Amino acid sequence: MKITFTKMHGNGNDFILIDEFNSVIISEEEKPKFVRALCNRNFGLGADGVLFVQRSEKADAKFRYFNSDGSEAEMCGNGIRCFSRYLVEEGYAESPLKVETLAGIKELEVFRNEDGWWVRVDMGVPKFGREDIPARDDVWGREFEFNGRKFKVYAVNTGVPHAVIFNLDFDIDLAKYIRYHEIFPEGTNVNFAKVEGNDRILVRTYERGVEAETLSCGTGSVAVAAVARRLGLVGDHVEIITKGGKLLIDLGERAFMTGTASRVADGFINTEELRYDLPE
């Protein structure tokens, strides 16, 4: 069977989009296996995750996002920008639009200028309570010790759980230690950050579900900005610099994220050629 796909990315955080707006293409029970095979960068198309466009009874469309390991996530900041550009470009919705996610209804504005396609996302209210993250104990400035070094960790939910460490020396072993720590019953994403002044922060993110560093993470960028503002390190308008590019975060009662959405390819997937018995 041949399936139409679109390849998109937000600051290098890349996704394969499958349009199920008019009919189901991949059954629910097959989606995790399909996603794992498709996202493999040697035997599939390669991506950090897969976006499924579906109809919604509550909004203009329903956003389904699966990480490359086949797990479904509540929200993805870079992914929903790509998703929203696709909706507008294909005529499924007009800007401003509303999108249903597992983290609630998100409102977005899609626009285009000389620098490309941009999307402004209402990311909602960052949640710092341990029951909202979720965490088994308070994780606000909590000190963790790893390999003889001590780190202060801050946690927040910006659609999915995030831990923030103000140290840009990305340590993959430390990231995995925090990501799987028992204090986070659902696991967490891990962000390493450095405040450069003038409301500018450098960020690197280890993403849960991808189980690796990605070039950019939208929810992680919002998380870092929200934590930094709560600590008094930045103001209400923050420029986040990731390996893949720049995101603009506006913080008030709610958080807004603005960033690009790129559409790099459209084509067909030959499903009979996908490899599901992937090597470790």
Side-chain angles (χ1 to χ4, degrees), residues 159-171:
V160 288
H162 280 276
V164 177
I165 301 170
F166 286 98
N167 183 328
L168 199 62
D169 296 331
F170 187 90
D171 184 326

Side-chain angles (χ1 to χ4, degrees), residues 17 26 31 50 52 65 74 77 86 90 118 123 128 186 188 221 250 252 261:
L17 184 147
I26 305 297
K31 276 183 168 65
V50 175
F52 290 93
Y65 172 62
E74 298 92 334
Y86 181 87
E90 294 299 312
W118 292 78
M123 298 290 288
F128 296 96
E186 297 178 8
T188 186
S221 296
D250 296 307

Side-chain angles (χ1 to χ4, degrees), residues 73-177:
E74 298 92 334
M75 176 58 184
C76 173
N78 289 324
I80 202 169
R81 294 202 315 277
C82 295
F83 181 95
S84 299
R85 171 188 167 172
Y86 181 87
L87 290 181
V88 171
E89 204 168 15
E90 294 299 312
Y92 291 141
E94 294 182 355
S95 179
L97 64 151
K98 293 183 179 180
V99 174
E100 178 187 352
T101 78
L102 292 178
I105 303 293
K106 301 298 180 185
E107 298 187 8
L108 308 100
E109 296 177 33
V110 179
F111 58 96
R112 191 178 186 182
N113 60 25
E114 63 275 8
D115 296 320
W117 289 80
W118 292 78
V119 182
R120 176 177 165 87
V121 189
D122 181 349
M123 298 290 288
V125 179
K127 299 176 181 178
F128 296 96
R130 72 180 190 184
E131 67 282 357
D132 295 316
I133 293 169
R136 292 193 171 95
D137 202 350
D138 184 47
V139 193
W140 186 258
R142 187 185 184 99
E143 194 168 76
F144 288 77
E145 185 169 345
F146 181 76
N147 284 346
R149 300 172 65 191
K150 294 181 178 180
F151 299 87
K152 281 189 177 181
V153 177
Y154 302 86
V156 60
N157 188 312
T158 52
V160 288
H162 280 276
V164 177
I165 301 170
F166 286 98
N167 183 328
L168 199 62
D169 296 331
F170 187 90
D171 184 326
I172 191 70
D173 292 326
L174 173 61
K176 290 179 180 179
Y177 173 72

Side-chain angles (χ1 to χ4, degrees), residues 21 51-57 59-65 72 83 87 98-102:
F21 196 79
L51 309 171
F52 290 93
V53 179
Q54 297 180 344
R55 286 187 182 271
S56 171
E57 296 180 357
D60 292 296
K62 186 175 183 180
F63 173 86
R64 300 282 302 281
Y65 172 62
E72 186 169 9
F83 181 95
L87 290 181
K98 293 183 179 180
V99 174
E100 178 187 352
T101 78
L102 292 178

